[in-house]
């Protein structure tokens, strides 16, 4: 017995499933601007401190400082932030490292 179209929704209009196009993620190479890199490194060496705004992260780090002997918020925040930045911007990180080793 043949199925009636009524009540079948989109299946009544489309007999075959539509192909799903998957676009591969293109990894774009970051073009490093030498002038901006030099100025950024010079500024960072003069003043390596940064300010963040995250009440949740602050609460976690302060909790750890109160509960873990010799815990350093600055050291932990630096390690976490450096890893995240290195993972997200590897080409820029590598360029900065190379420039700082000169």
């Amino acid at each position: 017995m043949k199925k009636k179209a009524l009540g079948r929704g989109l299946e009544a209009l489309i007999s075959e499933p539509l192909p799903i196009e998957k676009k591969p993620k293109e990894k774009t190479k970051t073009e490093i601007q030498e002038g901006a890199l030099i100025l950024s490194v010079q500024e960072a060496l003069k003043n390596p401190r940064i300010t963040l705004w995250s009440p949740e992260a602050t609460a976690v780090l302060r909790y750890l400082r109160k509960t873990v002997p010799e815990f350093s918020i600055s050291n932990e925040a630096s390690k976490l932030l450096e890893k995240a930045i290195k993972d997200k911007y590897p080409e820029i990180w590598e360029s900065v490292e190379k420039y700082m080793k000169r």
Side-chain angles (χ1 to χ4, degrees), residues 23-66:
K23 292 183 180 180
K25 283 188 178 180
E26 290 183 25
K27 192 163 188 175
T28 57
K29 185 161 181 147
T30 305
E31 188 175 316
I32 304 298
Q33 297 176 19
E34 191 74 22
L37 177 71
I38 292 167
L39 287 175
S40 299
V41 170
Q42 289 172 347
E43 290 172 7
L45 291 171
K46 287 180 188 173
N47 184 12
R49 179 174 286 199
I50 60 172
T51 304
L52 302 172
W53 182 263
S54 174
E56 295 86 359
T58 301
V60 169
L61 293 172
R62 287 185 178 176
Y63 172 85
L64 290 168
R65 184 178 65 194
K66 293 176 186 306

